Amino acid sequence: MPELPEVETIVRDLAPRLVGQALKHPKVFRPERLKGTSRQRFLRILDGNRIQALTRRAKHAVFLLESGHRLVIQPGMTGSLLVADGQAEGSRWKQVVLAVGLEDGGQLLYRDVRRLGTIRLLDQRQWNSYTERIGPEPLSEEFGPEEFARRIGSTKQPVKKALMDQKRIAGVGNIYATEALFLAGIDPSRPGNRLDRAALERLYHAVRDVLARAIAQGGTTFRDYRRGTGEPGSFQLSLLAYGRGGQPCVRCGTLLATTHSIDGRATTFCWRCQGGPAALGSPPGA
DNA sequence: ACGAGGTCCTGCGAGC
DNA sequence: TGCTCGCAGGACCTCG
């Protein structure tokens, strides 16, 4: 599921190929995925426009166009962006949401198996208000531990839910929230405002560390995610908690547990190293 | 204002 | 073998 590192990888892979190219003959196959714009307006603005830059904001891929508009693609759970040369694999065509021809003869495809992703086309003013509503980029240089503590340490929400709240911090989803909490040795169910300064500091570093390492590995591929090159990422090999329920903790050997009690999402943790979740009572056999 | 839970959506694997 | 069902979950929504 594309979170910050996966979208960053896709954008880095595709930017060299796409920047500077004009767009031709856009086709929308799933118009219900277009948000805030009609299909007609979308196609009219895209056709003949040119890609000036391709960047990432939170979990969105952002195409800055020559007209000043931004094509904003949020891949959701299973969205993927790729450039196809010649014939795209035929069996996958029913999953294509958007196809845009390129000057060099290739084709930019946005595919989305579960169709939970969204596409927006925003002018400058719309973009400003859109991006203002999202929290700061956790890997930016200006983002320090004080701001992290202010945003995560001030809520009664479970710290894992706060980490995944895009209004607080951009780009962190279930995989990296789970990993960061394991790395920092923090109970995911603990309210943010019950973490002391040392814990918030550890978590700040854990979040940045896990995101940076995941980018270096091209993201995490479980099933659908592919990088812009079409290859899988490899950070799944480095995961210590996510997806490892029932397996031994790499630190202490205790079997990792999985709960769905926090925001209804799978959370894997170590009873011993993370000491929780307190709300769930005791570990089995204790 | 907050938490809980529903909704969207499809593919896959467990279980019968 | 072939079916049903539960689950995966990001973002957004409603309800209490």
Side-chain angles (χ1 to χ4, degrees):
Chain A
M1 51 240 41
E3 301 180 30
L4 185 155
E6 289 74 32
V7 178
E8 182 68 28
T9 298
I10 291 170
V11 160
R12 288 186 189 180
D13 286 343
L14 293 184
R17 169 78 187 262
L18 292 177
V19 170
Q21 290 216 53
L23 305 173
K24 304 188 297 186
H25 314 306
K27 293 186 190 67
V28 176
F29 299 96
R30 300 286 179 176
E32 77 278 6
R33 298 290 95 210
L34 285 179
K35 301 299 167 186
T37 186
S38 70
R39 186 187 203 152
Q40 287 77 6
R41 172 179 172 271
F42 181 84
L43 296 175
R44 175 167 48 78
I45 293 175
L46 228 58
D47 200 8
N49 221 322
R50 192 177 295 273
I51 299 174
Q52 221 165 53
L54 172 55
T55 58
R56 178 193 58 76
R57 170 76 172 111
K59 304 173 187 174
H60 311 78
V62 182
F63 296 78
L64 176 61
L65 305 178
E66 205 170 41
S67 65
H69 294 89
R70 282 172 176 83
L71 171 63
V72 180
I73 297 185
Q74 176 178 63
M77 283 283 293
T78 56
S80 62
L81 279 167
L82 66 151
V83 174
D85 293 290
Q87 300 294 85
E89 332 92 273
S91 64
R92 305 275 187 172
W93 263 101
K94 68 169 188 167
Q95 300 168 350
V96 174
V97 173
L98 169 68
V100 189
L102 300 167
E103 259 180 314
D104 68 6
Q107 200 167 27
L108 172 64
L109 300 177
Y110 171 58
R111 232 166 51 190
D112 190 349
V113 174
R114 286 179 220 170
R115 301 208 297 271
L116 293 173
T118 57
I119 301 174
R120 289 180 168 78
L121 187 61
L122 307 176
D123 63 25
Q124 185 65 52
R125 188 185 55 79
Q126 293 171 315
W127 167 252
N128 289 345
S129 75
Y130 190 80
T131 191
E132 268 169 25
R133 282 192 288 260
I134 305 171
E137 288 292 327
L139 291 178
S140 78
E141 285 182 28
E142 310 86 65
F143 185 69
E146 308 77 20
E147 182 167 11
F148 180 86
R150 238 184 352 262
R151 290 174 168 271
I152 300 299
S154 61
T155 176
K156 290 192 294 185
Q157 285 182 345
V159 58
K160 177 164 183 263
K161 188 167 156 62
L163 276 179
M164 293 170 62
D165 180 349
Q166 300 301 295
K167 292 190 288 298
R168 292 182 190 277
I169 294 179
V172 179
N174 200 38
I175 295 176
Y176 300 110
T178 298
E179 286 299 294
L181 288 160
F182 175 82
L183 291 171
I186 292 170
D187 170 2
S189 70
R190 197 169 174 85
N193 63 9
R194 302 234 353 250
L195 298 177
D196 62 25
R197 233 184 61 194
L200 285 165
E201 179 107 14
R202 286 203 307 281
L203 188 55
Y204 163 80
H205 289 294
V207 167
R208 304 217 331 162
D209 174 68
V210 75
L211 293 175
R213 286 190 294 118
I215 291 171
Q217 297 290 308
T220 300
T221 296
F222 271 104
R223 187 181 304 169
D224 300 291
Y225 164 70
R226 290 294 180 277
R227 39 190 303 171
T229 59
E231 291 159 359
S234 60
F235 195 68
Q236 63 279 8
L237 304 173
S238 304
L239 294 174
L240 301 180
Y242 183 90
R244 295 194 67 242
Q247 298 177 45
C249 171
V250 294
R251 290 219 187 93
C252 73
T254 302
L255 296 188
L256 298 178
T258 299
T259 175
H260 288 81
S261 68
I262 305 164
D263 205 24
R265 308 225 160 109
T267 303
T268 300
F269 63 96
C270 176
W271 287 105
R272 189 156 166 202
C273 299
Q274 295 172 263
L280 299 184
S282 312

